[in-house]
Amino acid sequence: MALSVTFFFVLTTLLLSPLVCIAATIGKLDPKFYVHSCPKAKKIIKSIVAEAVTKEARMAASLLRLHFHDCFVKGCDASVLLDSSGTIISEKRSNPNRNSARGFEVIDKIKSALEKECPNTVSCADILAIAARDSTVLAGGPSWEVPLGRRDSLGASISGSNHNIPAPNDTLPTIITKFKLKGLNLVDLVTLSGSHTIGQARCTSFRQRLYNQTGKGFPDTTLNMVYANQLKSRCPRSGGDQNLFPLDLASPTKFDNQYFKNIVAGKGLLSSDEILFTKSKATMELVNKYAKSVDSFFKQFSKSMVKMGNITPLTGTKGEIRKHCRKINN
C-alpha cells in the first residue's frame, strides 16, 4: 500500500510538473519562449531584417522606431501594425506615424515566413521586438536578449498614438511625463533618445527651430548657426515638408554615440534632442556621459530597450496571435 501511494505521488508530481512550470511563466516574458514551439523563429527574423537593411540602410532605424511607437501606445502589442477596418482606426493615421512610419512590408514578409514555418505561433508584437534588436545590431549597435511571449492586440488607439508618443516639439517636462507614465525614468529617456543616432526626420518636424522657436519669429538660439544654415537650404519657411535630413549628420547609418556628441555641439536636429542638454542638469550630465563613453551608452541602451519592451504586454490568453499583422483574425 505504501508503495502504491508513493508511486501515485511520484506519478502525479511528474504529470503536474510541466503544468506548474507553465503556470509559473504565464504573464512573464522569456527569451526562450519559442525554443520548442518555433526554434527557427529568431533565425528567420534576423535573415529577413538583414536582407532589408542591406537593401536600404535606413530600414534599421525604421524598424527600431516601429517598436517604440508600438510600445508607447497600449503597450507592446503590435497595435501600430493594424490597418483601418471595421471599428479599428489605424494608428498609422496619427500625427507621429502619418507619412513617416515605415517598415510594414518587412514585418509582413517576416510574418509570412513564420506562418509557413510554425503557424499561429509567433506574435507580431514579438516580431517587432526582435526586429528592433536585430536592426540595432546590424547598424553597429549593442545586442541584448529579447524577452518573448507577447501576444497581439485586438484593437488600436489613434488617440493614444497622438498623445502618448513623445513629439519633436514637446517640452522636457512633457517628455519626462510621457516616459514616466510608461514606467520609464530619466535615464531611460536620455538613453532611448540615443536611437536617433540612426534614421532621418522630415523638415516639418524641426522647421520651427529654424524660423520660429520662440513663437515670435526667432530661431532656436541653442542651434549651431552653421548647422542651421545647412538645414535652411533644404527646409524653407514653407514647402518641402517631407524633405528628409539625417538625425545624426556625422554618421547617419551607424549606431554609435555621435548623437550625444552632436547635442553637446548644438547640432541636435530635433528640439526634443537638444533640450536634453539645455533644459536639465540631470539630462545634461547623462548626455555628457554618453558622449564620452560609447560603452556606457550601449550597456544602458540594452537595459532600457528590455525595459521598454516590457511595457504592459499581452500574455497568456489575452489578445491573440495574428495570422496577418495588419488585421485581427476575426
Side-chain angles (χ1 to χ4, degrees):
M1 182 68 179
L3 180 62
S4 298
V5 171
T6 302
F7 175 78
F8 178 78
F9 175 77
V10 172
L11 180 62
T12 303
T13 302
L14 288 172
L15 288 171
L16 289 180
S17 291
L19 297 178
V20 171
C21 189
I22 291 171
T25 59
I26 287 177
K28 293 183 180 180
L29 303 182
D30 183 348
K32 298 180 180 179
F33 190 82
Y34 297 111
V35 165
H36 300 296
S37 61
C38 193
K40 294 182 181 179
K42 293 179 183 178
K43 184 178 180 181
I44 289 170
I45 295 171
K46 182 179 181 179
S47 174
I48 296 174
V49 170
E51 179 186 3
V53 173
T54 298
K55 185 177 180 180
E56 182 193 9
R58 182 188 170 202
M59 188 54 68
S62 298
L63 292 173
L64 179 56
R65 186 169 183 257
L66 275 185
H67 185 41
F68 273 79
H69 284 212
D70 179 39
C71 291
F72 268 79
V73 184
K74 297 171 76 271
C76 308
D77 61 2
S79 62
V80 71
L81 301 177
L82 289 170
D83 287 338
S84 295
S85 63
T87 59
I88 295 173
I89 302 176
S90 177
E91 292 169 18
K92 297 173 185 178
R93 296 184 180 183
S94 70
N95 292 329
N97 293 327
R98 191 173 60 249
N99 298 322
S100 64
R102 56 200 300 276
F104 300 108
E105 294 79 10
V106 178
I107 301 300
D108 290 341
K109 188 173 182 179
I110 293 170
K111 183 60 176 173
S112 178
L114 288 173
E115 284 300 304
K116 291 178 182 177
E117 176 66 24
C118 39
N120 308 314
T121 302
V122 183
S123 70
C124 300
D126 278 345
I127 291 173
L128 282 175
I130 297 172
R133 189 272 311 278
D134 291 348
S135 294
T136 300
V137 173
L138 285 164
S143 184
W144 59 91
E145 270 202 319
V146 181
L148 301 166
R150 301 168 189 80
R151 288 168 64 85
D152 301 324
S153 69
L154 299 173
S157 175
I158 189 170
S159 174
S161 188
N162 276 322
H163 295 102
N164 298 347
I165 297 172
N169 302 326
D170 279 346
T171 64
L172 185 56
T174 297
I175 297 173
I176 290 172
T177 297
K178 288 182 177 181
F179 270 75
K180 188 176 181 180
L181 288 172
K182 299 302 175 183
L184 301 173
N185 60 30
L186 207 63
V187 172
D188 299 316
L189 190 166
V190 177
T191 307
L192 293 174
S193 294
S195 62
H196 284 177
T197 186
I198 55 175
Q200 302 187 51
R202 296 174 297 154
C203 166
T204 185
S205 64
F206 61 86
R207 174 183 283 121
Q208 90 291 339
R209 296 193 72 199
L210 303 177
Y211 305 103
N212 191 28
Q213 182 73 358
T214 62
K216 296 182 180 179
F218 297 105
D220 188 342
T221 56
T222 67
L223 186 62
N224 178 285
M225 292 316 298
V226 174
Y227 180 50
N229 287 331
Q230 285 180 283
L231 298 175
K232 286 180 180 179
S233 67
R234 290 189 58 243
C235 186
R237 286 182 181 272
S238 61
D241 285 5
Q242 306 305 316
N243 289 350
L244 293 171
F245 295 80
L247 284 158
D248 170 7
L249 187 63
S251 53
T253 60
K254 184 179 180 182
F255 199 101
D256 53 23
N257 65 334
Q258 185 63 46
Y259 164 83
F260 297 103
K261 296 178 182 179
N262 294 341
I263 292 175
V264 173
K267 296 181 179 180
L269 183 62
L270 306 178
S271 175
S272 56
D273 295 326
E274 199 62 49
I275 58 176
L276 297 178
F277 191 70
T278 60
K279 297 296 184 181
S280 159
K281 182 180 179 182
T283 57
M284 180 184 71
E285 289 176 351
L286 285 166
V287 169
N288 276 323
K289 177 183 178 180
Y290 296 152
K292 293 174 182 176
S293 173
V294 68
D295 289 339
S296 294
F297 168 46
F298 278 15
K299 186 176 181 179
Q300 184 57 50
F301 189 81
S302 297
K303 293 178 181 178
S304 292
M305 282 297 292
V306 171
K307 190 174 176 181
M308 186 194 74
N310 201 36
I311 298 175
T312 56
L314 298 175
T315 58
T317 58
K318 297 177 181 177
E320 65 179 10
I321 304 297
R322 289 186 214 139
K323 295 177 182 178
H324 303 280
C325 291
R326 293 175 182 262
K327 61 183 181 180
I328 60 175
N329 294 339
N330 297 313

